[in-house]
Amino acid sequence: VSTAKCVGQSATFTIAATGTGLQWQLNTGTGFNDIGGAITSTLNIPAVTIGMNGYQYRVIVQGSCGSLISDEVTLTVNPTPALFAVTGGGSFCSGPGVPVGLFDSESGVSYQLQRNGSNTGSPVNGTGSAISFGNQNLNGTYTVVATNTSTTCTSPMTGSVSISAGTLPIQYNVTGSGF
């Protein structure tokens, strides 16, 4: 049995067992050892790290006539997408807007542009180099969220850019009369 999590997510293991005592154990590769204080039916790991990938957990259930050992569960920890800087932004007065992009990208990762926290446009697949979300022409703060397409692990990319559309001056006709 295996459970998969992304770096930073919590992992919870639960056993439905009756007995006079429970003891969770952990195998980090050198054999099972008791986890201090882990004596309830639920074991919670608040934030998994990549170093925990492959750890195995089990429970010893003690009763009045002996003890039983549960099946093992293996924790698979998937990395989140690498962090890259959002590029572009600025001000413009007319035309198609200004470009927004990402300094670099990873293959197998989908990048979603967001304006003011809401998705805008379609996701762009990573190429292993810089990517562009095209010209943007709406005022706002633009950020990017990356999603690994096989593990669904996500990461917000580094930084944000702002776009502000200026207004062209209104043209007035000057008239006059002669003497």
Side-chain angles (χ1 to χ4, degrees), residues 143-162:
T143 55
V144 177
V145 175
T147 303
N148 182 303
T149 56
S150 62
T151 66
T152 69
C153 294
T154 63
S155 287
M157 295 293 96
T158 304
S160 64
V161 296
S162 294

Side-chain angles (χ1 to χ4, degrees), residues 65-83:
C65 294
S67 62
L68 295 172
I69 298 174
S70 72
D71 291 336
E72 302 162 0
V73 62
T74 301
L75 177 62
T76 300
V77 181
N78 294 308
T80 54
L83 302 179

Side-chain angles (χ1 to χ4, degrees), residues 58-172:
R58 71 181 184 188
V59 179
I60 297 175
V61 181
Q62 298 171 357
S64 58
C65 294
S67 62
L68 295 172
I69 298 174
S70 72
D71 291 336
E72 302 162 0
V73 62
T74 301
L75 177 62
T76 300
V77 181
N78 294 308
T80 54
L83 302 179
F84 300 111
V86 181
T87 60
S91 299
F92 71 100
C93 288
S94 65
V98 292
V100 174
L102 202 58
F103 181 76
D104 203 351
S105 66
E106 293 179 287
S107 296
V109 175
S110 175
Y111 297 89
Q112 177 64 58
L113 182 65
Q114 295 185 332
R115 182 175 67 87
N116 299 332
S118 296
N119 291 349
T120 183
S122 297
V124 175
N125 290 325
T127 61
S129 59
I131 58 173
S132 173
F133 297 99
N135 287 343
Q136 303 300 314
N137 59 9
L138 296 175
N139 288 343
T141 301
Y142 289 78
T143 55
V144 177
V145 175
T147 303
N148 182 303
T149 56
S150 62
T151 66
T152 69
C153 294
T154 63
S155 287
M157 295 293 96
T158 304
S160 64
V161 296
S162 294
I163 293 179
S164 61
T167 55
L168 292 173
I170 297 173
Q171 181 177 349
Y172 292 95

